Amino acid sequence: MASRLNNLAAFHQKLAKANRILAICGAGLSAASGLPTFRGAGGLWRNYEATDLATPEAFAEDPGLVWLFYAYRRHMALQVKPNAGHHALAALAKKNPNFLCLTQNVDNLSPRAGHPPSQLRTLHGSLFTLKCSSRSCNYMEPSNTADPLCPSLAPASVSPPDPSQPAKIPLLDPSHPLPRISPSQLPQCPRCQESGKQSLLRPGVIWFGESLDATMLSEIDAWIDQGGPVDIVLVVGTSSVVYPAAGYAERARTKGVTSVVTVNKEVEKRMWTRQEDLAFQGGAEEWLGKMFEPLIGALPGGGNE
Ligand SMILES: [Zn+2]
């Protein structure tokens, strides 16, 4: 029996017969673009745990601090480029209208690679969406890439001269005091302002303790449920045996035979215990172009911008 690890020929056979394809992408997809993700334990920003800044409570307590953190992430995301993994997924989407891509990344790199918006769902929102922080207002502003976003957040829009030493810029040096930013210096919701209220705009990302967009989730469920079998579930830059990828793979399998294909730096045997499953060990930027090549052709310059 042929190996189910790093077997391009086996994947090409599946791809040739596949109609409906679902991808679930995690932080590993953007790693090769050079972005820190700050998710999970040990993600420090200055001397703050990044997870402590990504909550509604932190925003309520010190919106200026939380905005500086997000303004820095917006700035950094604008400095990097989509990699060959983003380009390969975007090219596959253009070739196959029955390919839906879910991403946990908020960095906007898939849209920048030209991924058709109708075939992309950003599970955790986007750094470049602004939304009203008031629960009674649903104002939302998509695709705001202003950098700096406003004068008070300009200290976050400074690039480190050496990207491998980000702590060398004043904003990231914990011995440098942070600028104090009052709420009145932060972006305000224009809709609330019209009705004489004052509400801050906040980053349009899902914070810890918040639920994902219910409409988006039911659209994804409907996509899985309302067509033929999902032939391939691609799990890119995250683990296929933990939520949410594991949940989507399980749901897809109820429709028929689904090959779950993992592309991740870390793979483990339980990802390919079923004979229809495959795994590729390494970065999305190394593998996806080769995997999709029979359909999308060779990516120019290996697909890296
Ligand atoms: Zn509002």
Side-chain angles (χ1 to χ4, degrees), residues 116-296:
S118 62
Q119 288 170 264
L120 183 71
R121 297 292 178 277
T122 49
L123 295 171
H124 293 163
S126 166
L127 291 171
F128 301 98
T129 298
L130 307 182
K131 63 182 185 185
C132 183
S133 59
S134 160
R135 277 188 198 169
S136 55
C137 174
N138 56 9
Y139 177 82
M140 190 173 274
E141 187 181 333
S143 309
N144 179 320
T145 53
D147 183 35
L149 183 57
C150 61
S152 67
L153 295 173
S157 297
V158 178
S159 299
D162 175 358
S164 67
Q165 304 212 306
K168 292 280 156 85
I169 61 172
L171 182 76
L172 293 195
D173 177 355
S175 65
H176 259 261
L178 275 179
R180 289 297 310 170
I181 301 174
S182 73
S184 63
Q185 296 170 287
L186 292 170
Q188 310 286 322
C189 172
R191 188 173 296 163
C192 286
Q193 246 164 1
E194 275 171 25
S195 48
K197 286 180 284 184
Q198 288 225 318
S199 310
L200 291 180
L201 291 177
R202 54 162 276 187
V205 298
I206 307 292
W207 280 333
F208 292 96
E210 295 184 321
S211 1
L212 307 196
D213 183 286
T215 310
M216 182 189 293
L217 293 182
S218 43
E219 275 176 19
I220 296 166
D221 289 346
W223 185 91
I224 297 175
D225 295 343
Q226 287 166 10
V230 181
D231 304 293
I232 298 175
V233 170
L234 267 175
V235 182
V236 179
T238 182
S239 166
S240 55
V241 291
V242 301
Y243 182 86
Y248 283 117
E250 198 177 315
R251 193 177 182 109
R253 290 201 211 262
T254 63
K255 307 267 310 176
V257 177
T258 298
S259 296
V260 176
V261 179
T262 309
V263 181
N264 199 22
K265 288 250 182 303
E266 283 145 41
V267 294
E268 44 185 309
K269 271 212 168 108
R270 60 190 175 130
M271 292 173 176
W272 63 91
T273 45
R274 293 170 183 248
Q275 64 168 14
E276 62 269 27
D277 293 348
L278 297 171
F280 294 86
Q281 183 164 31
E285 72 286 356
E286 299 167 48
W287 281 111
L288 293 183
K290 288 185 244 173
M291 289 167 67
F292 304 158
E293 194 167 331
L295 275 188
I296 66 173

